[in-house]
């Protein structure tokens, strides 16, 4: 291609895709619906923002079909901040993903928060230059998404509820099975692959490394600094906070406190200090009061 | 070049001394830097609080988001003692966001973004473009790093637009968009920084070079005064 083949550059490699996820570790990715909210998030120390038309709590309230956001909104948010901007595509909707890539978003979330576009297939993420994050509730689901090309996994939790219980369930399931895999012998790994519905190569890799081959973040129902400390002590490497910030009484202050809690998640005195006087958290919902579980979308 | 002799054999390394390196651990790819140093058998520990600096003889500023790191450095009280130690000559390695924190002039950043300003160069944040333009390419190395090339992973990387007369360029790479060749590794005094992520690939030459700087300089940070510079994050509301 060039006179100096050794200086040829390669974009969209898996190293480059998961590399951005690595750089976000220890940070907070915040859902925003306006450029002003994006600025507040960046001012508070967010490592990235997720550009949306509605936060999950409102999607849940409004019902109807939830789709990719208006490109004009995404571009306005890209203009407003210097940190990476993510956006959501519907599960299986590769054309929405193509549009988001054309807009130059930094990460695509193939998200169960939007209404799925395909009942059997997730997007084949390998042909894309832009990296993808996907939700998972179990290790098998996480490995299937990675086999399709996801460069970051997040727990699904139950978005828009302000209730951390599902995120904890998903993290414990994924991390507990990883710990069990590391104890399995080589013959047992084949059975694990069958039961997880995941490629044996990835199962062997996880067993060897004791962690997923991509960063594992936590999403779905986080509302307080202590929630962030909890999931990061359980093993999440960073957090997504959706409705929890801009549905609270004092978003700027809560956002700032949540960033501090992510950086100092294992220092209870620091978490105590930043948790003082934050005002009302988002209202939150008992899971038994929910209609549809978003986490059940995807396969 | 007066520091050219630091590679490949460092006096301190030859004497078998071990100085502990601190890796700034507020956000970013801290684990990879700790692992790279462990591979070289350099004692290393994470830095989160001002007290973690005691006894540290070198510091690594990892990749991450420079706006976030700048804010957390200030709110956690690490900024002032770390700035003082770096100004006093503590060997420092910065990669990507770490380079942004070390550069004297930062373009495309936030106006309130604070850095250490000890490396006389101008960097443009995300100067290679958004994530879809992030790339892997070989980095050409200068003699002090052994010549040849090493793999470079550039992720929303800062672009070094210009360097001052006191700065030695130790590596170059071309920007894919226009083929323009830019410095990607720079050293001034005891500060060395890369626009890319050597910690993400197995080539350890830059970490070894930094370890030799640490070993030969015998800098050890003092314990900061009690309660120095810890700003309550909620004070401003």
């Amino acid at each position: 291609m060039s006179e100096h083949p050794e200086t040829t550059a390669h974009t969209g490699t898996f190293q480059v895709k998961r590399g951005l996820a690595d750089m976000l570790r220890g940070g907070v990715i915040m859902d925003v619906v306006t450029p002003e909210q994006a600025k507040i998030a960046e001012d508070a120390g967010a490592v990235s923002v997720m550009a949306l038309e509605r936060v999950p709590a409102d999607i849940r309230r409004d019902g109807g079909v939830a789709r990719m956001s208006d490109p004009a909104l995404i571009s306005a948010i890209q203009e407003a901040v210097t940190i990476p901007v993510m956006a959501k595509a519907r599960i299986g909707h590769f054309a929405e993903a193509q549009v988001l890539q054309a807009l130059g978003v930094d990460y695509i979330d193939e998200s169960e928060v939007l209404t799925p576009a395909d009942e059997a297939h997730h997007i084949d993420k390998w042909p894309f230059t832009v990296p993808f994050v996907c939700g998972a509730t179990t290790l098998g689901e996480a490995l299937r998404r990675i086999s399709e090309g996801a460069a970051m996994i997040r727990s699904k939790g139950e978005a828009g509820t302000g209730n951390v219980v599902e995120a904890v369930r998903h993290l414990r399931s994924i991390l507990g099975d990883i710990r069990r895999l590391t104890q399995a012998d080589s013959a047992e790994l084949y059975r694990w692959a069958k039961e997880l519905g995941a490629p044996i190569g990835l199962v062997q890799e996880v067993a060897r490394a004791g962690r997923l081959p991509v960063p594992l973040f936590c999403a779905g129902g986080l509302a307080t600094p202590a929630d962030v400390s909890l999931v990061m002590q359980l093993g999440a490497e960073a957090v997504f906070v959706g409705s929890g910030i801009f549905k609270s009484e004092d978003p700027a202050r809560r956002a700032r406190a949540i960033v501090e809690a992510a950086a100092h998640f294992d220092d209870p005195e620091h978490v105590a200090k930043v948790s003082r006087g934050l005002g009302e958290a988002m209202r939150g919902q008992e899971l038994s009061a929910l209609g549809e579980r978003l986490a059940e979308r995807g396969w | 070049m007066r520091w050219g002799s630091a590679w490949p054999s460092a006096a301190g390394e030859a004497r078998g001394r071990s100085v502990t390196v601190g890796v700034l651990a507020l956000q970013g790819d801290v684990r990879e830097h700790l692992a790279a140093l462990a591979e070289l058998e350099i004692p290393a520990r994470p830095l989160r609080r001002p007290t973690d600096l005691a006894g540290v003889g070198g510091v690594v500023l990892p990749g991450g988001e420079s706006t976030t790191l700048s804010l957390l450095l200030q709110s956690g009280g690490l900024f002032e003692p770390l700035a003082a130690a770096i100004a006093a000559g503590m060997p420092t390695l910065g990669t990507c966001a770490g380079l942004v924190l070390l550069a004297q002039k930062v373009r495309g950043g936030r106006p309130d973004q604070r850095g250490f300003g000890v490396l006389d160069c101008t960097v443009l944040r995300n100067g290679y473009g958004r994530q879809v333009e992030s790339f892997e390419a070989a980095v050409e190395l200068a003699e002090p790093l052994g010549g040849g090339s090493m793999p470079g992973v550039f992720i929303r990387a800062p672009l070094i637009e210009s360097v001052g007369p006191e700065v030695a360029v130790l590596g170059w790479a071309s920007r894919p968009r226009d083929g323009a060749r830019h410095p990607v590794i720079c050293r001034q005094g005891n500060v060395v920084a890369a626009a890319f992520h050597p910690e993400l690939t197995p080539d350890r030459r830059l970490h070894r070079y930094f370890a030799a700087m640490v070993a030969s300089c015998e800098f050890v940070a003092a314990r900061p005064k009690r309660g120095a510079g810890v700003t309550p994050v909620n004070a401003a509301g």
Side-chain angles (χ1 to χ4, degrees):
Chain A
M1 221 166 94
S2 99
E3 298 170 42
H4 306 288
E6 76 280 3
T7 60
T8 302
H10 300 280
T11 55
T13 64
F14 197 68
Q15 172 81 272
V16 158
K17 289 176 174 177
R18 81 150 278 175
L20 180 55
D22 286 322
M23 299 315 140
L24 302 176
R25 292 198 328 244
V28 183
I29 300 143
M30 300 183 191
D31 279 3
V32 297
V33 299
T34 63
E36 293 70 34
Q37 288 188 354
K39 294 290 283 180
I40 291 170
E42 187 181 51
D43 287 346
V47 290
S48 175
V49 291
M50 177 76 71
L52 286 168
E53 272 170 9
R54 291 175 292 171
V55 294
D58 290 338
I59 291 174
R60 201 176 266 293
R61 188 199 60 207
D62 297 349
V65 175
R67 310 180 179 89
M68 173 186 80
S69 296
D70 183 342
L73 173 74
I74 294 170
S75 299
I77 289 172
Q78 286 174 315
E79 287 303 310
V81 293
T82 66
I83 55 179
V85 175
M86 303 189 184
K88 289 185 196 288
R90 283 180 265 180
I91 289 173
H93 205 316
F94 55 85
E96 281 187 350
Q98 289 163 349
V99 170
L100 294 175
Q101 173 164 290
L103 290 172
V105 304
D106 295 296
Y107 242 95
I108 294 176
D109 184 3
E110 187 184 14
S111 177
E112 71 283 358
V113 168
L114 305 184
T115 309
D118 189 320
E119 292 183 328
H121 308 94
H122 282 251
I123 297 170
D124 175 4
K125 294 164 267 287
W126 292 109
F128 287 82
T129 307
V130 64
F132 281 75
V133 49
C134 288
T137 59
T138 62
L139 180 57
E141 206 177 353
L143 295 179
R144 286 194 291 280
R145 297 295 84 78
I146 294 167
S147 73
E148 296 156 0
M152 181 204 300
I153 293 295
R154 56 170 176 76
S155 65
K156 286 182 177 171
E158 194 56 35
T161 61
N163 190 336
V164 78
V165 66
E166 291 299 295
V168 167
R169 184 204 311 279
H170 301 156
L171 275 180
R172 281 207 179 273
S173 170
I174 294 167
L175 292 161
D177 275 349
I178 290 175
R179 283 188 285 270
R180 282 183 275 278
L181 267 191
T182 63
Q183 303 299 310
D185 72 19
S186 58
E188 288 168 336
L189 291 180
Y190 292 96
R191 187 185 167 91
W192 269 101
K194 178 186 162 209
E195 299 204 334
L196 292 171
I200 180 65
L202 280 177
V203 171
Q204 288 165 332
E205 194 179 336
V206 170
R208 205 165 37 239
R211 66 164 78 102
L212 291 181
V214 303
L216 173 62
F217 291 7
C218 180
L222 305 182
T224 69
D227 285 349
V228 170
S229 171
L230 170 71
V231 299
M232 290 187 71
Q233 288 187 66
L234 285 173
E237 297 179 278
V239 295
F240 287 79
V241 183
S243 319
I245 289 172
F246 289 100
K247 286 285 165 189
S248 72
E249 188 184 340
D250 187 346
R253 202 155 162 200
R254 181 164 296 265
R256 187 74 194 83
I258 282 177
V259 167
E260 287 290 331
H264 300 278
F265 70 90
D266 59 353
D267 180 348
E269 285 180 22
H270 200 94
V271 177
K273 192 172 76 181
V274 301
S275 298
R276 282 174 199 274
L278 291 180
E280 285 272 324
M282 75 176 282
R283 172 103 170 77
Q285 272 187 301
E286 267 291 338
L287 291 161
S288 54
L290 290 184
E292 189 186 6
R293 294 280 185 103
L294 301 179
E296 288 168 4
R297 295 169 166 178
W299 19 91
Chain B
M1 211 185 307
R2 66 185 185 283
W3 51 71
S5 62
W7 173 265
S9 70
E13 204 172 34
R15 287 200 300 274
R17 288 189 320 107
S18 57
V19 179
T20 299
V21 168
V23 179
L24 184 68
L26 295 171
Q27 192 270 312
D29 69 336
V30 180
R31 183 173 73 218
E32 286 75 6
H33 276 289
L34 288 169
L37 294 164
E39 267 176 52
L40 300 176
E41 299 182 351
I42 313 296
R45 65 163 183 252
L47 291 181
R48 283 201 187 83
R49 302 166 194 82
T51 47
D52 296 338
L53 263 177
V56 160
V59 65
V60 175
L61 308 177
E65 271 306 311
S66 60
T67 50
T68 305
L69 287 170
S70 168
L71 203 104
L72 289 168
L73 276 164
Q74 293 171 67
S75 65
L78 253 179
F79 190 93
E80 302 299 339
L82 201 50
I86 295 171
M90 179 160 74
T92 304
L93 167 66
T95 63
C96 196
L99 163 64
V100 176
L101 290 172
L102 291 167
Q104 266 178 18
K105 290 198 200 80
V106 177
R107 298 206 306 123
R110 292 165 49 87
D112 60 345
Q113 192 169 336
R114 273 185 84 192
F116 300 114
V118 290
L119 189 59
D120 183 10
C121 64
T122 301
V123 301
L124 177 62
R125 273 187 73 211
N126 309 327
Y128 292 88
R130 299 184 194 281
Q131 173 63 12
V132 288
E133 292 186 82
S134 291
F135 64 101
E136 289 185 62
V139 170
E140 288 171 59
L141 299 178
E143 267 318 302
L145 280 167
S149 69
M150 73 185 286
V153 180
F154 294 79
I155 297 170
R156 288 172 46 93
L159 182 78
I160 301 175
E161 295 184 311
S162 63
V163 300
E166 296 295 309
V167 171
V169 175
L170 301 179
W172 291 267
S174 299
R175 176 160 70 171
R177 192 191 292 169
D178 54 8
R181 198 160 165 269
H182 285 273
V184 296
I185 308 174
C186 288
R187 177 173 177 174
Q188 182 174 6
N190 278 337
V191 172
V192 63
F196 60 102
H197 294 282
E199 70 278 13
L200 294 184
T201 57
D203 192 314
R204 289 288 159 258
R205 276 182 285 177
L206 189 59
H207 282 83
R208 189 168 287 138
Y209 178 82
F210 168 67
M213 280 166 57
V214 173
S216 62
C217 127
E218 304 188 18
F219 183 98
V220 177
R223 195 178 174 80
K225 291 194 186 82
R226 281 180 61 199
V230 182
T231 319
V233 294
N234 279 331

